[in-house]
Protein backbone atom coordinates (compact mmCIF):
# COMPACT_ATOMS: atom_id res chain seq x y z
CA UNK A 1 0.00 0.00 0.00
CA UNK A 2 1.26 3.45 -0.86
CA UNK A 3 1.84 5.62 2.21
CA UNK A 4 2.71 9.26 2.71
CA UNK A 5 5.20 9.55 5.54
CA UNK A 6 5.07 13.24 6.42
CA UNK A 7 2.90 16.30 5.96
CA UNK A 8 4.66 18.36 3.30
CA UNK A 9 4.96 22.11 3.82
CA UNK A 10 3.30 24.75 1.67
CA UNK A 11 6.75 26.08 0.77
CA UNK A 12 7.68 22.68 -0.67
CA UNK A 13 4.50 22.52 -2.72
CA UNK A 14 4.97 26.06 -4.02
CA UNK A 15 8.58 25.29 -4.94
CA UNK A 16 7.37 22.23 -6.86
CA UNK A 17 4.84 24.43 -8.70
CA UNK A 18 7.55 26.93 -9.68
CA UNK A 19 9.50 24.20 -11.46
CA UNK A 20 6.46 23.48 -13.66
CA UNK A 21 6.21 27.23 -14.25
CA UNK A 22 9.74 27.22 -15.68
CA UNK A 23 9.95 24.01 -17.66
CA UNK A 24 6.66 24.75 -19.41
CA UNK A 25 8.37 27.80 -20.88
CA UNK A 26 10.68 25.41 -22.70
CA UNK A 27 7.69 23.52 -24.11
CA UNK A 28 5.89 26.70 -25.18
CA UNK A 29 8.85 28.47 -26.81
CA UNK A 30 11.04 25.63 -28.12
CA UNK A 31 8.49 22.98 -29.03
CA UNK A 32 5.39 24.99 -29.93
CA UNK A 33 5.92 28.59 -30.92
CA UNK A 34 9.46 29.62 -31.84
CA UNK A 35 12.30 27.13 -32.34
CA UNK A 36 10.27 24.58 -34.29
CA UNK A 37 9.31 27.25 -36.83
CA UNK A 38 12.77 28.88 -36.78
CA UNK A 39 14.51 25.56 -37.46
CA UNK A 40 12.07 24.44 -40.16
CA UNK A 41 12.04 27.72 -42.08
CA UNK A 42 15.35 29.48 -41.31
CA UNK A 43 17.97 26.91 -40.32
CA UNK A 44 17.01 24.15 -42.76
CA UNK A 45 15.56 24.60 -46.22
CA UNK A 46 11.80 25.01 -46.52
CA UNK A 47 11.25 21.62 -48.15
CA UNK A 48 13.32 19.39 -45.86
CA UNK A 49 12.90 21.48 -42.71
CA UNK A 50 9.68 19.94 -41.35
CA UNK A 51 10.90 16.37 -41.94
CA UNK A 52 14.25 17.12 -40.27
CA UNK A 53 12.42 18.67 -37.31
CA UNK A 54 10.31 15.54 -36.89
CA UNK A 55 13.45 13.41 -37.20
CA UNK A 56 15.07 15.32 -34.32
CA UNK A 57 11.95 14.99 -32.18
CA UNK A 58 11.79 11.27 -32.94
CA UNK A 59 15.44 10.59 -32.09
CA UNK A 60 15.08 12.38 -28.75
CA UNK A 61 11.87 10.44 -28.04
CA UNK A 62 13.54 7.07 -28.65
CA UNK A 63 16.48 7.90 -26.38
CA UNK A 64 14.20 9.10 -23.58
CA UNK A 65 11.92 6.07 -24.01
CA UNK A 66 14.90 3.77 -23.43
CA UNK A 67 16.37 5.77 -20.54
CA UNK A 68 13.23 6.65 -18.58
CA UNK A 69 12.41 3.29 -16.92
CA UNK A 70 16.09 2.62 -16.20
CA UNK A 71 16.64 6.04 -14.64
CA UNK A 72 13.36 5.75 -12.77
CA UNK A 73 14.45 2.45 -11.23
CA UNK A 74 17.81 3.90 -10.20
CA UNK A 75 16.13 6.96 -8.69
CA UNK A 76 13.69 4.84 -6.68
CA UNK A 77 16.47 2.67 -5.31
CA UNK A 78 19.04 5.34 -4.55
CA UNK A 79 16.39 7.88 -3.53
CA UNK A 80 18.31 10.42 -5.58
CA UNK A 81 15.38 11.93 -7.47
CA UNK A 82 16.53 15.51 -6.85
CA UNK A 83 20.09 14.77 -7.97
CA UNK A 84 18.90 13.27 -11.23
CA UNK A 85 16.41 16.09 -11.66
CA UNK A 86 19.23 18.64 -11.26
CA UNK A 87 21.48 16.90 -13.80
CA UNK A 88 18.81 16.69 -16.49
CA UNK A 89 17.46 20.17 -15.79
CA UNK A 90 20.97 21.56 -16.20
CA UNK A 91 21.36 19.58 -19.43
CA UNK A 92 18.17 21.05 -20.86
CA UNK A 93 18.93 24.61 -19.73
CA UNK A 94 22.48 24.62 -21.13
CA UNK A 95 21.54 23.25 -24.55
CA UNK A 96 18.46 25.47 -24.77
CA UNK A 97 20.79 28.45 -24.32
CA UNK A 98 23.21 27.01 -26.92
CA UNK A 99 20.40 27.12 -29.51
CA UNK A 100 21.26 30.84 -29.69
CA UNK A 101 24.29 29.91 -31.80
CA UNK A 102 22.25 27.93 -34.34
CA UNK A 103 21.90 29.96 -37.55
CA UNK A 104 21.02 29.39 -41.19
CA UNK A 105 22.63 26.22 -42.51
CA UNK A 106 23.59 24.89 -39.06
CA UNK A 107 21.28 21.91 -39.46
CA UNK A 108 23.43 19.31 -37.68
CA UNK A 109 24.24 21.69 -34.83
CA UNK A 110 20.57 22.58 -34.46
CA UNK A 111 19.48 18.93 -34.38
CA UNK A 112 22.17 17.90 -31.87
CA UNK A 113 21.56 20.85 -29.52
CA UNK A 114 17.80 20.38 -29.68
CA UNK A 115 18.04 16.62 -29.03
CA UNK A 116 20.23 17.23 -25.97
CA UNK A 117 17.85 19.91 -24.64
CA UNK A 118 14.86 17.66 -25.30
CA UNK A 119 16.46 14.65 -23.58
CA UNK A 120 17.17 16.82 -20.53
CA UNK A 121 13.64 18.23 -20.52
CA UNK A 122 11.88 14.86 -20.90
CA UNK A 123 14.13 12.92 -18.51
CA UNK A 124 13.85 15.66 -15.87
CA UNK A 125 10.06 15.40 -16.12
CA UNK A 126 10.20 11.76 -14.94
CA UNK A 127 11.96 12.74 -11.69
CA UNK A 128 9.90 15.90 -11.24
CA UNK A 129 6.65 13.92 -11.51
CA UNK A 130 7.95 11.25 -9.14
CA UNK A 131 8.40 13.92 -6.41
CA UNK A 132 4.63 14.43 -6.35
CA UNK A 133 4.23 11.89 -3.53
CA UNK A 134 6.82 13.81 -1.47
CA UNK A 135 4.97 17.13 -1.54
CA UNK A 136 1.35 15.96 -1.22
CA UNK A 137 -0.94 13.69 0.77
CA UNK A 138 -3.54 11.13 -0.43
CA UNK A 139 -6.22 13.78 0.15
CA UNK A 140 -4.43 16.56 -1.78
CA UNK A 141 -2.51 14.74 -4.50
CA UNK A 142 -5.08 15.47 -7.22
CA UNK A 143 -5.34 19.19 -6.54
CA UNK A 144 -1.55 19.55 -6.08
CA UNK A 145 -0.94 17.90 -9.44
CA UNK A 146 -3.59 20.09 -11.05
CA UNK A 147 -2.16 23.28 -9.55
CA UNK A 148 1.31 22.32 -10.77
CA UNK A 149 -0.02 21.85 -14.28
CA UNK A 150 -1.89 25.16 -14.08
CA UNK A 151 1.29 26.92 -12.98
CA UNK A 152 2.98 25.35 -15.98
CA UNK A 153 0.36 26.82 -18.30
CA UNK A 154 0.88 30.25 -16.73
CA UNK A 155 4.65 29.90 -17.06
CA UNK A 156 4.29 29.11 -20.74
CA UNK A 157 2.12 32.19 -21.24
CA UNK A 158 4.54 34.44 -19.33
CA UNK A 159 7.57 33.31 -21.32
CA UNK A 160 5.70 33.47 -24.63
CA UNK A 161 4.74 37.08 -23.96
CA UNK A 162 8.27 37.85 -22.78
CA UNK A 163 9.91 36.62 -25.98
CA UNK A 164 7.23 37.20 -28.61
CA UNK A 165 6.62 40.92 -28.01
CA UNK A 166 10.17 41.92 -29.05
CA UNK A 167 10.07 39.37 -31.88
CA UNK A 168 6.93 41.01 -33.25
CA UNK A 169 7.98 44.63 -32.57
CA UNK A 170 11.65 44.46 -33.60
CA UNK A 171 11.75 41.39 -35.79
CA UNK A 172 14.73 39.64 -37.29
CA UNK A 173 16.40 36.31 -36.53
CA UNK A 174 18.60 37.83 -33.79
CA UNK A 175 15.55 38.46 -31.61
CA UNK A 176 14.39 34.90 -32.28
CA UNK A 177 17.77 33.55 -31.15
CA UNK A 178 17.75 35.77 -28.05
CA UNK A 179 14.41 34.16 -27.21
CA UNK A 180 16.27 30.88 -26.59
CA UNK A 181 18.57 32.57 -24.06
CA UNK A 182 15.58 34.11 -22.31
CA UNK A 183 13.84 30.73 -22.17
CA UNK A 184 16.90 29.00 -20.71
CA UNK A 185 17.22 31.68 -18.01
CA UNK A 186 13.49 31.53 -17.27
CA UNK A 187 13.68 27.73 -16.87
CA UNK A 188 16.81 27.84 -14.68
CA UNK A 189 15.58 30.53 -12.28
CA UNK A 190 12.17 28.91 -11.84
CA UNK A 191 13.75 25.58 -10.90
CA UNK A 192 15.84 26.95 -8.02
CA UNK A 193 13.10 26.89 -5.30
CA UNK A 194 12.52 23.16 -5.81
CA UNK A 195 16.17 22.29 -5.18
CA UNK A 196 16.20 24.48 -2.06
CA UNK A 197 12.86 23.57 -0.47
CA UNK A 198 11.60 20.17 -1.64
CA UNK A 199 12.79 17.28 0.51
CA UNK A 200 12.59 13.67 -0.56
CA UNK A 201 10.99 11.90 2.38
CA UNK A 202 12.06 8.26 2.03
CA UNK A 203 15.46 7.03 3.18
CA UNK A 204 17.73 5.22 0.69
CA UNK A 205 17.65 1.43 0.63
CA UNK A 206 20.79 -0.55 1.41
CA UNK A 207 22.48 -2.19 -1.56
CA UNK A 208 22.75 -5.99 -1.35
CA UNK A 209 26.32 -7.13 -0.87
CA UNK A 210 28.29 -7.29 -4.10
CA UNK A 211 25.75 -5.36 -6.23
CA UNK A 212 26.15 -1.98 -7.84
CA UNK A 213 23.35 0.57 -8.09
CA UNK A 214 22.99 0.13 -11.85
CA UNK A 215 23.02 -3.69 -11.64
CA UNK A 216 20.40 -3.59 -8.91
CA UNK A 217 18.34 -1.14 -10.96
CA UNK A 218 18.15 -3.62 -13.84
CA UNK A 219 17.38 -6.39 -11.36
CA UNK A 220 14.46 -4.40 -9.92
CA UNK A 221 13.26 -3.51 -13.40
CA UNK A 222 13.25 -7.20 -14.35
CA UNK A 223 11.43 -7.99 -11.11
CA UNK A 224 8.69 -5.53 -12.07
CA UNK A 225 8.09 -7.41 -15.31
CA UNK A 226 8.13 -10.79 -13.53
CA UNK A 227 5.68 -9.58 -10.89
CA UNK A 228 3.45 -7.80 -13.37
CA UNK A 229 0.39 -9.64 -12.05
CA UNK A 230 0.64 -7.51 -8.91
CA UNK A 231 0.31 -4.33 -10.96
CA UNK A 232 -2.50 -5.27 -13.32
CA UNK A 233 -4.37 -2.01 -12.79
CA UNK A 234 -1.29 -0.01 -13.72
CA UNK A 235 -0.78 -2.10 -16.85
CA UNK A 236 -4.42 -1.62 -17.86
CA UNK A 237 -4.08 2.11 -17.30
CA UNK A 238 -0.83 2.26 -19.29
CA UNK A 239 -2.61 0.66 -22.29
CA UNK A 240 -5.44 3.18 -22.02
CA UNK A 241 -2.96 6.05 -21.63
CA UNK A 242 -0.94 4.91 -24.64
CA UNK A 243 -4.04 5.03 -26.84
CA UNK A 244 -5.67 8.26 -25.67
CA UNK A 245 -2.30 10.01 -25.37
CA UNK A 246 -1.70 9.15 -29.03
CA UNK A 247 -4.85 11.14 -29.81
CA UNK A 248 -3.63 14.04 -27.69
CA UNK A 249 -0.20 14.06 -29.36
CA UNK A 250 -1.82 13.91 -32.80
CA UNK A 251 -3.95 16.94 -31.94
CA UNK A 252 -1.08 18.95 -30.46
CA UNK A 253 1.43 18.12 -33.20
CA UNK A 254 -1.02 18.98 -35.97
CA UNK A 255 -2.91 21.92 -34.44
CA UNK A 256 -1.04 24.43 -36.61
CA UNK A 257 -1.70 22.36 -39.75
CA UNK A 258 -5.40 22.14 -38.94
CA UNK A 259 -5.62 25.87 -38.22
CA UNK A 260 -3.71 26.78 -41.39
CA UNK A 261 -5.50 24.49 -43.84
CA UNK A 262 -9.06 24.65 -42.53
CA UNK A 263 -9.12 28.21 -41.17
CA UNK A 264 -6.27 30.05 -42.94
CA UNK A 265 -4.43 31.08 -39.74
CA UNK A 266 -1.26 33.18 -40.11
CA UNK A 267 1.76 33.06 -37.78
CA UNK A 268 0.60 35.92 -35.55
CA UNK A 269 -2.82 34.30 -35.21
CA UNK A 270 -1.22 30.99 -34.28
CA UNK A 271 0.75 32.73 -31.52
CA UNK A 272 -2.46 34.19 -30.12
CA UNK A 273 -4.07 30.77 -30.38
CA UNK A 274 -1.25 29.18 -28.35
CA UNK A 275 -1.68 31.79 -25.61
CA UNK A 276 -5.44 31.15 -25.60
CA UNK A 277 -4.73 27.43 -25.23
CA UNK A 278 -2.37 28.06 -22.31
CA UNK A 279 -4.81 30.35 -20.48
CA UNK A 280 -7.67 27.90 -20.88
CA UNK A 281 -5.37 25.05 -19.92
CA UNK A 282 -4.64 26.61 -16.53
CA UNK A 283 -8.35 26.62 -15.72
CA UNK A 284 -8.76 23.04 -16.92
CA UNK A 285 -5.92 21.79 -14.73
CA UNK A 286 -7.52 23.42 -11.66
CA UNK A 287 -11.02 22.08 -12.37
CA UNK A 288 -10.08 18.53 -13.23
CA UNK A 289 -7.62 18.42 -10.32
CA UNK A 290 -10.56 19.30 -8.05
CA UNK A 291 -12.70 16.59 -9.66
CA UNK A 292 -9.84 14.14 -9.11
CA UNK A 293 -9.82 14.92 -5.38
CA UNK A 294 -13.59 15.08 -5.00
CA UNK A 295 -14.42 11.94 -6.93
CA UNK A 296 -11.48 10.09 -8.55
CA UNK A 297 -8.66 10.59 -11.03
CA UNK A 298 -10.30 8.08 -13.36
CA UNK A 299 -13.52 10.09 -13.48
CA UNK A 300 -11.61 13.34 -14.03
CA UNK A 301 -9.78 11.88 -17.03
CA UNK A 302 -12.97 10.39 -18.47
CA UNK A 303 -14.80 13.73 -18.17
CA UNK A 304 -11.96 15.63 -19.83
CA UNK A 305 -11.67 13.01 -22.61
CA UNK A 306 -15.40 13.27 -23.27
CA UNK A 307 -15.09 17.05 -23.52
CA UNK A 308 -12.10 16.74 -25.86
CA UNK A 309 -13.98 14.32 -28.14
CA UNK A 310 -16.84 16.81 -28.42
CA UNK A 311 -14.37 19.58 -29.21
CA UNK A 312 -12.77 17.51 -31.98
CA UNK A 313 -16.24 16.69 -33.36
CA UNK A 314 -17.01 20.43 -33.47
CA UNK A 315 -14.26 20.84 -36.10
CA UNK A 316 -16.51 19.01 -38.55
CA UNK A 317 -19.27 21.59 -38.06
CA UNK A 318 -17.82 25.08 -37.50
CA UNK A 319 -15.58 26.80 -40.08
CA UNK A 320 -14.98 30.39 -38.87
CA UNK A 321 -11.79 31.69 -37.20
CA UNK A 322 -13.63 33.10 -34.20
CA UNK A 323 -15.30 29.78 -33.48
CA UNK A 324 -11.94 28.04 -33.89
CA UNK A 325 -10.50 30.25 -31.15
CA UNK A 326 -13.37 29.08 -28.93
CA UNK A 327 -12.78 25.46 -29.95
CA UNK A 328 -9.06 25.95 -29.25
CA UNK A 329 -9.79 27.32 -25.78
CA UNK A 330 -12.04 24.34 -24.97
CA UNK A 331 -9.43 21.97 -26.35
CA UNK A 332 -6.73 23.54 -24.15
CA UNK A 333 -9.06 23.35 -21.14
CA UNK A 334 -9.72 19.63 -21.58
CA UNK A 335 -6.18 18.73 -22.72
CA UNK A 336 -4.68 20.08 -19.51
CA UNK A 337 -7.24 18.17 -17.48
CA UNK A 338 -6.22 14.89 -19.10
CA UNK A 339 -2.49 15.54 -18.80
CA UNK A 340 -2.49 16.89 -15.25
CA UNK A 341 -4.56 14.08 -13.78
CA UNK A 342 -2.78 11.34 -15.77
CA UNK A 343 0.32 11.70 -13.61
CA UNK A 344 -1.84 11.49 -10.47
CA UNK A 345 -3.15 8.13 -11.67
CA UNK A 346 0.39 6.73 -11.76
CA UNK A 347 1.06 7.51 -8.10
CA UNK A 348 -2.29 5.94 -7.15
CA UNK A 349 -1.71 2.75 -9.15
CA UNK A 350 1.92 2.10 -8.19
CA UNK A 351 3.66 1.11 -4.92
CA UNK A 352 5.54 4.03 -3.40
CA UNK A 353 8.97 2.41 -3.69
CA UNK A 354 8.46 2.08 -7.46
CA UNK A 355 6.91 5.47 -8.27
CA UNK A 356 9.80 6.84 -10.33
CA UNK A 357 10.14 3.49 -12.09
CA UNK A 358 6.43 3.49 -12.97
CA UNK A 359 6.59 7.11 -14.13
CA UNK A 360 9.36 5.89 -16.41
CA UNK A 361 7.08 3.20 -17.84
CA UNK A 362 4.41 5.81 -18.50
CA UNK A 363 7.04 8.00 -20.14
CA UNK A 364 7.82 5.09 -22.49
CA UNK A 365 4.15 5.01 -23.47
CA UNK A 366 4.16 8.76 -24.06
CA UNK A 367 7.35 8.68 -26.11
CA UNK A 368 5.95 5.84 -28.23
CA UNK A 369 3.03 8.13 -29.02
CA UNK A 370 5.47 10.55 -30.62
CA UNK A 371 5.77 8.06 -33.48
CA UNK A 372 2.47 6.20 -33.69
CA UNK A 373 -0.04 9.04 -33.43
CA UNK A 374 1.59 11.55 -35.81
CA UNK A 375 2.42 8.72 -38.24
CA UNK A 376 -1.25 7.69 -38.36
CA UNK A 377 -2.43 11.28 -38.82
CA UNK A 378 0.14 11.95 -41.53
CA UNK A 379 -0.63 8.71 -43.37
CA UNK A 380 -4.39 9.26 -43.28
CA UNK A 381 -3.98 12.90 -44.33
CA UNK A 382 -1.64 12.11 -47.23
CA UNK A 383 -3.64 9.12 -48.43
CA UNK A 384 -6.97 10.93 -48.49
CA UNK A 385 -5.43 14.07 -50.01
CA UNK A 386 -3.89 12.07 -52.86
CA UNK A 387 -7.13 10.17 -53.38
CA UNK A 388 -9.03 13.46 -53.65
CA UNK A 389 -6.49 14.89 -56.09
CA UNK A 390 -6.76 11.75 -58.22
CA UNK A 391 -10.49 12.41 -58.47
CA UNK A 392 -9.86 15.86 -59.90
CA UNK A 393 -10.58 17.89 -56.75
CA UNK A 394 -8.73 21.21 -56.30
CA UNK A 395 -5.59 21.18 -54.13
CA UNK A 396 -7.16 23.31 -51.38
CA UNK A 397 -10.25 21.10 -51.21
CA UNK A 398 -8.14 17.93 -51.29
CA UNK A 399 -5.99 19.13 -48.36
CA UNK A 400 -9.11 20.05 -46.39
CA UNK A 401 -10.50 16.57 -47.01
CA UNK A 402 -7.24 15.01 -45.86
CA UNK A 403 -7.22 17.08 -42.66
CA UNK A 404 -10.83 16.16 -41.87
CA UNK A 405 -9.99 12.46 -42.17
CA UNK A 406 -6.96 13.07 -39.96
CA UNK A 407 -9.20 14.71 -37.36
CA UNK A 408 -11.42 11.65 -37.51
CA UNK A 409 -8.42 9.45 -36.67
CA UNK A 410 -7.73 11.67 -33.64
CA UNK A 411 -11.28 11.18 -32.38
CA UNK A 412 -10.95 7.41 -32.84
CA UNK A 413 -7.84 7.26 -30.65
CA UNK A 414 -9.52 9.34 -27.93
CA UNK A 415 -12.66 7.19 -27.94
CA UNK A 416 -10.82 3.86 -27.86
CA UNK A 417 -8.50 5.11 -25.10
CA UNK A 418 -11.50 6.21 -23.06
CA UNK A 419 -13.13 2.79 -23.46
CA UNK A 420 -9.97 1.06 -22.21
CA UNK A 421 -9.84 3.49 -19.27
CA UNK A 422 -13.32 2.35 -18.22
CA UNK A 423 -11.76 -1.04 -17.41
CA UNK A 424 -9.32 0.47 -14.88
CA UNK A 425 -10.30 0.37 -11.22
CA UNK A 426 -11.38 3.64 -9.60
CA UNK A 427 -8.88 4.54 -6.85
CA UNK A 428 -9.35 7.23 -4.18
CA UNK A 429 -7.61 8.09 -0.92
CA UNK A 430 -10.56 6.46 0.88
CA UNK A 431 -10.29 3.32 -1.22
CA UNK A 432 -6.59 2.94 -2.11
CA UNK A 433 -5.08 0.16 -4.14
CA UNK A 434 -3.29 -2.47 -2.04
CA UNK A 435 -0.10 -4.18 -3.21
CA UNK A 436 1.21 -7.63 -2.27
CA UNK A 437 4.78 -6.76 -1.39
Amino acid sequence: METFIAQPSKKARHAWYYYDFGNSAYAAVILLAVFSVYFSSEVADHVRGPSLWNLAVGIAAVIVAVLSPILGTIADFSKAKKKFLFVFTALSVVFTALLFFVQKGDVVMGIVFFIMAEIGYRAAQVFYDSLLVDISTPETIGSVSGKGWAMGMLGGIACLILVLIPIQLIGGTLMVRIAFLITALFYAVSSIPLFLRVRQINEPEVLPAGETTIAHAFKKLASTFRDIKNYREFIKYTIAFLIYNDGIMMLMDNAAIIAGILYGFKTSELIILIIVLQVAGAGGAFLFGWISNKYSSKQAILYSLAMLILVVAALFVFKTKFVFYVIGALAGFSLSGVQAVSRTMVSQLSPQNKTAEFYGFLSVAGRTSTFIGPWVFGSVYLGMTNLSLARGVSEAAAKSTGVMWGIGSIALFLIIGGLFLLRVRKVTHRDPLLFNE
Side-chain angles (χ1 to χ4, degrees):
M1 176 179 176
E2 185 174 343
T3 58
F4 291 68
I5 298 175
Q7 291 290 327
S9 68
K10 284 186 178 181
K11 287 184 177 181
R13 288 197 296 273
H14 291 164
W16 190 79
Y17 298 153
Y18 290 139
Y19 186 93
D20 224 334
F21 187 83
N23 81 338
S24 294
Y26 168 89
V29 175
I30 305 301
L31 296 176
L32 281 176
V34 183
F35 184 71
S36 56
V37 177
Y38 173 71
F39 178 83
S40 299
S41 61
E42 295 290 339
V43 178
D45 66 73
H46 293 275
V47 177
R48 297 174 62 237
S51 62
L52 289 172
W53 168 252
N54 281 282
L55 174 65
V57 171
I59 292 172
V62 169
I63 295 173
V64 174
V66 172
L67 288 178
S68 291
I70 299 171
L71 294 174
T73 303
I74 295 172
D76 268 338
F77 176 78
S78 64
K79 298 301 179 285
K81 297 175 187 176
K82 282 179 62 178
K83 292 180 181 178
F84 279 101
L85 179 60
F86 177 81
V87 169
F88 286 110
T89 299
L91 180 69
S92 185
V93 167
V94 168
F95 279 95
T96 297
L98 288 176
L99 292 175
F100 170 82
F101 297 102
V102 177
Q103 301 184 57
K104 189 173 183 64
D106 297 329
V107 175
V108 174
M109 182 192 297
I111 289 176
V112 172
F113 286 179
F114 167 74
I115 288 174
M116 295 302 293
E118 181 73 355
I119 290 172
Y121 168 72
R122 299 293 181 182
Q125 194 72 43
V126 173
F127 298 100
Y128 169 72
D129 286 346
S130 70
L131 285 170
L132 179 58
V133 295
D134 294 295
I135 50 88
S136 63
T137 66
E139 293 79 13
T140 64
I141 188 169
S143 63
V144 169
S145 178
K147 289 175 182 178
W149 202 273
M151 281 290 288
M153 296 297 101
L154 295 176
I157 293 168
C159 198
L160 276 173
I161 294 173
L162 196 61
V163 303
L164 291 178
I165 288 178
I167 288 175
Q168 294 300 311
L169 294 180
I170 301 174
T173 57
L174 177 60
M175 294 308 302
V176 171
R177 291 162 51 216
I178 288 176
F180 309 143
L181 294 176
I182 294 173
T183 302
L185 181 62
F186 193 98
Y187 188 176
V189 172
S190 298
S191 71
I192 293 173
L194 182 147
F195 296 111
L196 295 178
R197 295 177 177 175
V198 173
R199 182 173 64 90
Q200 190 175 335
I201 294 172
N202 297 320
E203 293 297 323
E205 298 176 27
V206 178
L207 271 173
E211 287 192 10
T212 65
T213 302
I214 294 177
H216 194 74
F218 280 103
K219 184 177 179 180
K220 287 196 70 177
L221 191 59
S223 175
T224 300
F225 284 105
R226 287 196 303 269
D227 299 336
I228 205 71
K229 63 180 181 295
N230 294 327
Y231 313 120
R232 290 182 61 187
E233 294 304 318
F234 176 79
I235 297 302
K236 288 192 292 184
Y237 172 65
T238 299
I239 294 172
F241 173 83
L242 176 62
I243 298 171
Y244 75 67
N245 193 57
D246 275 351
I248 290 172
M249 295 302 295
M250 292 160 76
L251 184 59
M252 293 177 66
D253 289 345
N254 294 284
I257 294 174
I258 293 171
I261 293 178
L262 294 185
Y263 299 90
F265 270 56
K266 307 301 181 185
T267 302
S268 59
E269 294 170 318
L270 287 172
I271 292 170
I272 296 172
L273 178 64
I274 292 171
I275 293 175
V276 168
L277 288 172
Q278 298 276 34
V279 172
F286 274 116
L287 175 63
F288 290 107
W290 176 83
I291 293 175
S292 175
N293 277 343
K294 182 69 174 179
Y295 301 101
S296 72
S297 296
K298 174 183 174 179
Q299 286 174 269
I301 296 174
L302 285 172
Y303 293 158
S304 53
L305 280 176
M307 182 178 179
L308 192 56
I309 291 167
L310 291 175
V311 166
V312 171
L315 294 173
F316 289 91
V317 180
F318 303 104
K319 303 298 181 182
T320 66
K321 286 185 177 180
F322 173 77
V323 174
F324 188 74
Y325 277 117
V326 175
I327 292 174
L330 293 174
F333 189 87
S334 51
L335 276 171
S336 290
V338 175
Q339 294 173 308
V341 181
S342 289
R343 62 185 178 187
T344 303
M345 283 284 288
V346 179
S347 64
Q348 294 175 337
L349 296 174
S350 61
Q352 187 174 356
N353 66 340
K354 291 180 181 286
T355 52
E357 182 182 339
F358 277 47
Y359 277 118
F361 290 150
L362 196 69
S363 179
V364 171
R367 300 291 75 75
T368 303
S369 299
T370 303
F371 291 97
I372 298 175
W375 178 80
V376 169
F377 184 97
S379 298
V380 170
Y381 164 76
L382 185 60
M384 296 311 298
T385 299
N386 287 337
L387 181 61
S388 298
L389 288 171
R391 291 176 175 175
V393 177
S394 69
E395 182 178 318
K399 290 169 67 176
S400 294
T401 299
V403 166
M404 296 306 293
W405 277 91
I407 292 171
S409 68
I410 292 173
L412 189 62
F413 272 80
L414 296 174
I415 292 170
I416 295 175
L419 291 175
F420 271 88
L421 184 60
L422 288 172
R423 297 174 56 84
V424 179
R425 174 184 158 179
K426 183 172 75 172
V427 179
T428 68
H429 66 273
R430 300 183 191 87
D431 184 24
L433 189 63
L434 302 178
F435 300 95
N436 299 319
E437 296 185 309

